[in-house]
Amino acid sequence: MSTPGPSSKTSRPEASGPVLSWPGIMLCAAVAAVATAVNSAVPLVSAMLVAILVGLLLRNLGLVPALAEPGLKVTARTVLRAGVVLLGLRLSVPAVLSLGWGAIGVIVATVTCVYLATLWAGRLLGVPRATTILTATGTAICGAAAVAGMSAVLRADDEQTESVEEAAATAIASVTLFGTIAILVLPLLVSALGLGAVPAGVWVGASVHEVGQVVAAAGLVSTAVLDVAVVAKLGRVVLLAPLVALVGVLENRRAARLVAQRTAAEEVGQVLRGQSVTHRASAPVVPLFVLGFLAAVAARSLLEGSVPAGVFTWVNAVAAFLLTMAMCAMGAGVNLRRLVRSGGRALLLGALAGVAGAVASLVGVLVLVA
């Protein structure tokens, strides 16, 4: 009986590896198409939330075929980062600057206060670290899209306690829920406070989570408020890149500290066995997809007016679709039992973060804009 040689074993995965990714990628694309259709029919229902819930159900009902596993990994990493890069083409720096320095100050102060306050509240409530960071990012920046972007650089402390996928599912559910509540509450408060179009637009844009939710909330007030609110919201999205870059650097340093002793022990063992020491390549200081995001923002800012608006609208739809695909893949990595156990405190954290955003932005508007 002959046995296959080493070359036949190693060559087979190389030849079939790229092909094996397609079933999982196509599964995520199919789910994203359904989720996008649901969002088109019911705009208040986030396509990314639908996708992550479908992925979660497929995994926990045992419906994910083994053939799809490689593609799920590619989608959760590579497709996710491509979507974040294309998201930058939504943003025009001159449009944000047109709001004036008072509004820009409100946006920066709100993002900073909400992010730091949520981190503090998460520690106080005992919410797992990854869930806290993703909830803080989603509330402070732009909902599910921000959660997706931050999850690309985040590392969970203990996969047995909480994975990044589970943290993302919890954070997206939280920002979707409380962003939807804000749609109903903020227009009433704008009317009660008697705010003008610009202050009202800046307040809604600086406090409501998702872009779609901002459109819904501001549209209930007036068209003038809507115009200002959308630009203010995009000003928050601009801050996604520096925040993800900062957290990425901190995560790399933290991970390096955690593995330093293990790496040293491995190198000592290699030396004692007479082997050459292998050094792991360090990750880039700033994640490459963050640089791609910034390049896309610069391209939109420079090409604004010279490229038909429909092109940017189409690219924005592609970015949303890629991020929705990635959310399906991340949902497929969620352990439902662990998610349910940690859900209560995480939702309380999301509520506190939403209130912090509304209060901080209102104070900023009354001081710097109104």
Side-chain angles (χ1 to χ4, degrees):
M1 180 183 292
S2 61
T3 58
S7 60
S8 64
K9 272 188 176 182
T10 56
S11 61
R12 186 180 303 170
E14 290 177 5
S16 60
V19 176
L20 289 177
S21 297
W22 285 107
I25 294 174
M26 295 307 296
L27 172 63
C28 293
V31 172
V34 172
T36 302
V38 171
N39 175 253
S40 297
V42 188
L44 292 183
V45 178
S46 166
M48 294 185 199
L49 177 62
V50 172
I52 205 167
L53 290 177
V54 171
L56 183 152
L57 290 175
L58 290 176
R59 171 65 69 191
N60 287 273
L61 293 176
L63 300 178
V64 177
L67 191 64
E69 297 293 352
L72 291 176
K73 294 178 181 177
V74 171
T75 305
R77 182 176 177 84
T78 306
V79 174
L80 168 63
R81 296 185 175 203
V84 173
V85 170
L86 292 180
L87 192 64
L89 288 174
R90 176 188 293 181
L91 310 173
S92 169
V93 173
V96 175
L97 293 177
S98 69
L99 289 173
W101 292 109
I104 293 172
V106 172
I107 293 167
V108 174
T110 299
V111 169
T112 303
C113 290
V114 171
Y115 188 80
L116 295 179
T118 307
L119 293 186
W120 174 79
R123 286 193 294 269
L124 193 66
L125 294 172
V127 176
R129 176 176 166 275
T131 298
T132 298
I133 292 176
L134 292 179
T135 301
T137 305
T139 305
I141 304 291
C142 58
V147 173
M150 184 62 79
S151 65
V153 300
L154 196 61
R155 308 183 190 203
D157 281 340
D158 182 2
E159 289 289 334
Q160 297 302 315
T161 302
E162 173 203 41
S163 69
V164 173
E165 290 81 5
E166 290 163 350
T170 304
I172 287 176
S174 177
V175 298
T176 300
L177 172 61
F178 296 110
T180 302
I181 292 174
I183 294 174
L184 305 175
V185 174
L186 255 65
L188 297 176
L189 293 178
V190 166
S191 177
L193 293 171
L195 296 176
V198 173
V202 173
W203 186 31
V204 173
S207 59
V208 180
H209 304 352
E210 300 268 2
V211 174
Q213 293 167 346
V214 168
V215 171
L220 290 175
V221 183
S222 71
T223 303
V225 171
L226 174 60
D227 293 340
V228 176
V230 170
V231 177
K233 177 62 183 175
L234 296 181
R236 286 167 65 192
V237 181
V238 171
L239 298 178
L240 175 63
L243 182 59
V244 170
L246 175 61
V247 173
V249 170
L250 296 177
E251 288 290 288
N252 285 337
R253 290 180 179 176
R254 183 171 170 277
R257 289 195 302 268
L258 293 176
V259 302
Q261 291 183 342
R262 186 182 66 185
T263 302
E266 290 175 356
E267 291 180 351
V268 169
Q270 289 173 338
V271 171
L272 292 177
R273 291 191 298 270
Q275 300 173 345
S276 60
V277 176
T278 57
H279 297 283
R280 295 178 177 85
S282 59
V285 174
V286 177
L288 295 179
F289 77 93
V290 174
L291 298 179
F293 175 90
L294 292 174
V297 173
R300 173 62 185 264
S301 302
L302 293 173
L303 296 175
E304 187 79 44
S306 60
V307 174
V311 173
F312 293 119
T313 301
W314 181 83
V315 173
N316 182 52
V318 172
F321 190 82
L322 294 179
L323 291 175
T324 304
M325 287 177 60
M327 289 302 98
C328 173
M330 295 190 72
V334 171
N335 182 312
L336 186 56
R337 291 187 181 89
R338 291 210 304 251
L339 179 63
V340 170
R341 285 199 299 268
S342 64
R345 287 175 298 168
L347 286 178
L348 176 57
L349 177 64
L352 294 175
V355 171
V359 171
S361 56
L362 177 59
V363 171
V365 164
L366 294 177
V367 172
L368 298 176
V369 179

